Amino acid sequence: MSRRWISTGGRYSRRVTISWPGAPDMKSHIMKMNELQRTTWAGACALFMALLLVFFCVFRVSNATALVIIVNMAILGSVSLVTKTRGRYLVLVALVSMLALELFFREPSGTASNIWILVRFSATGLLITYFETLLTRKSQELYLDIERLAQQREDALADSRRWLARANALVMVISMISTKSHLHEIFEKSLEETRKVFDADSGLIYTVSSDSGTMSIVGSFGYSDEVMNKMKRRETEGAASCEACKDKDAIVVADDLSAGDKCPSLQNVTIGSCICLPIVSDETILGVLHLRRRRPDAFTPQDIQLAQSMTYQFGLAMQRAALFEQVNRLAITDPITGLYNYRKLRRDIEREIVRAKRYRHPFSFVMADIDHFKALNDRYGHQAGDTVLREVARSLNAGKREVDRAYRYGGEEFSILLPETEWPEAFEVAEKLRKKVAEMRISVDGELAPVETTISMGVASFSHESMGLERLMADADEALYNAKNTGRNKVVAHSVMEEAG
């Protein structure tokens, strides 16, 4: 029992409410049920009411009449379960008519009793029809809800699998970047993963030259050889014509590749949808990732976000490869002259020896030394000496043939490797280089007059009779020694070659 004060016309009176302790709040309990529980509860109530009504309908009737009523109720219930149309009421009228015929033919004298039975049967039939219809509607709603939940579950599982595949692809790209140093291999494997994840029909990766800004294809899939050849012939186009490079942001063409206001690089593409994403590192454009699918609206915002994550990893890979290349270049390059160093020289000569022995091809080797370089260093200083070294290296590198390679051997000595060259032709090339150096006039800080210098050169050629790297270099050095001892500023061939000639 509880008490509550209420206002009545400015005065307060006390209302006493009596409630049973622990009595459940039925409405609140039902509202807390889920759909399945409420439908089950409604079905149980409908079944209880149907049984109660059937009992009410067959109360104090003969066995034969009760059997007819029960059969008619079963028919009516079945029809109400399978149909929602008004036909179920027509069935009810037909069943009432059949029951009336049975009653009046069997007991024609009990008219009032028969009418009372018909009234009870009709009321019971209406209530059963209503409850069956209600139960059917609730069951169908519950079935549709279960179907919707099952579809949502399938969609969620599909999304989870898709995101798991994307995460695995991103992890694989990161793993390849951390374990491989060759860009071509990284891009080839990464594009394959990209094709699987995005279900793309075609894709490209361009690199952008930091010097000229031209775009070059370094990886692709989904293109024929003919199309690739045409695209590579257009690689002279610069990044300035690429919208993704200019905006440094993703360019998405989702539903109309035939539109006129699109990137110039996509002018020949008219079907499907595509995304172009710049590969950026420290605000520098390193390349572009291009993906295309044949159907419109193929790329979702989540796809674009994942593709941007991949381009970020591509940028790291390209930056790492550039650093790797720079380290390798420094390892084989002389820091003063910019020529290849002694380590690179030995490696190249060994490669040429293997090639010459296999294919019986000749090659020659030239040693060069700046004349009186120590005196020049003592007179003008070491900075002037470095300037002379750089200018002589520039002259040798510019005057050699395109197939030849120039090296700084060490100190004031230089070397030149001449593939596919017999010693007479090598002698002519060396003589041309000697004259080119002799004609130089080198400006030195602090000196009014330009500095002049000359070089002496020794020529040796590879012979197939058990000659190795050390023997070849020793022959060229011996020829250089003879050139310096016989007046300098000249070219001397090794004596073995001169005797053979």
Side-chain angles (χ1 to χ4, degrees), residues 14 65 71 112 142 146 156 184 197 205 263 268 280 288 291 308 313 343:
R14 186 171 61 181
T65 303
V71 171
L142 179 61
I146 292 175
H184 178 74
V197 170
I205 290 184
C263 182
N268 295 328
V280 183
V288 178
L291 298 174
Q308 287 175 329
Q313 296 300 326
R343 179 187 293 120

Side-chain angles (χ1 to χ4, degrees), residues 79-297:
V79 172
S80 299
L81 282 174
V82 299
T83 181
K84 293 183 180 179
T85 63
R86 295 179 181 178
R88 59 184 183 274
Y89 296 108
L90 296 176
V91 173
L92 176 60
V93 171
L95 293 176
V96 171
S97 301
M98 292 174 59
L99 180 62
L101 291 174
E102 193 273 339
L103 288 174
F104 284 105
F105 275 113
R106 182 180 294 276
E107 300 179 10
S109 59
T111 303
S113 175
N114 292 340
I115 293 175
W116 174 234
I117 293 173
L118 289 175
V119 169
R120 286 186 294 171
F121 178 81
S122 300
T124 302
L126 288 173
L127 290 174
I128 287 179
T129 301
Y130 170 75
F131 282 120
E132 293 286 355
T133 303
L134 178 64
L135 181 62
T136 302
R137 185 172 65 248
K138 288 292 184 180
S139 299
Q140 289 177 343
E141 291 176 357
L142 179 61
Y143 174 76
L144 292 176
D145 289 341
I146 292 175
E147 267 197 338
R148 186 177 63 255
L149 290 174
Q151 186 60 44
Q152 290 176 353
R153 178 179 176 274
E154 290 296 326
D155 294 341
L157 287 175
D159 288 340
S160 299
R161 295 190 191 100
R162 186 162 52 251
W163 276 107
L164 181 60
R166 293 175 176 180
N168 288 337
L170 188 58
V171 169
M172 184 167 292
V173 170
I174 295 173
S175 176
M176 281 188 293
I177 290 173
S178 61
T179 57
K180 300 183 184 300
S181 57
H182 297 290
L183 274 180
H184 178 74
E185 188 176 0
I186 291 174
F187 287 151
E188 182 180 356
K189 298 293 185 182
S190 299
L191 276 177
E192 180 62 23
E193 291 299 320
T194 303
R195 182 188 65 80
K196 294 178 183 177
V197 170
F198 295 104
D199 194 22
D201 297 302
S202 60
L204 291 167
I205 290 184
Y206 294 90
T207 57
V208 178
S209 172
S210 58
D211 299 327
S212 61
T214 57
M215 300 173 62
S216 302
I217 298 174
V218 294
S220 66
F221 67 87
Y223 293 95
S224 64
D225 294 338
E226 181 182 359
V227 173
M228 286 302 302
N229 291 333
K230 290 181 180 179
M231 297 179 71
K232 288 182 177 180
R233 284 197 293 269
R234 297 201 310 264
E235 286 183 354
T236 54
E237 297 178 358
S241 63
C242 177
E243 296 292 334
C245 293
K246 288 192 294 186
D247 298 341
K248 294 184 180 179
D249 198 6
I251 301 297
V252 183
V253 184
D255 55 358
D256 191 9
L257 275 174
S258 61
D261 55 343
K262 61 185 179 183
C263 182
S265 301
L266 302 174
Q267 290 302 321
N268 295 328
V269 183
T270 58
I271 300 174
S273 53
C274 74
I275 51 176
C276 295
L277 300 104
I279 302 174
V280 183
S281 178
D282 296 331
E283 298 300 319
T284 302
I285 298 293
L286 301 179
V288 178
L289 171 65
H290 169 80
L291 298 174
R292 187 177 73 86
R293 297 183 69 178
R294 292 189 179 94
R295 64 182 179 85
D297 296 319

Side-chain angles (χ1 to χ4, degrees), residues 347-395:
R347 189 187 306 169
D348 289 352
I349 292 178
E350 288 175 347
R351 188 179 294 115
E352 284 296 328
I353 290 175
V354 172
R355 182 170 172 271
K357 288 183 177 180
R358 175 177 296 179
Y359 301 107
R360 310 295 292 180
H361 288 174
F363 75 93
S364 296
F365 177 65
V366 177
M367 288 284 293
D369 184 86
I370 300 177
D371 297 328
H372 305 295
F373 184 74
K374 183 177 184 304
L376 186 148
N377 246 349
D378 294 340
R379 179 177 178 181
Y380 297 106
H382 289 286
Q383 289 185 348
D386 290 345
T387 301
V388 171
L389 287 173
R390 281 191 290 268
E391 290 301 317
V392 170
R394 184 185 61 79
S395 181

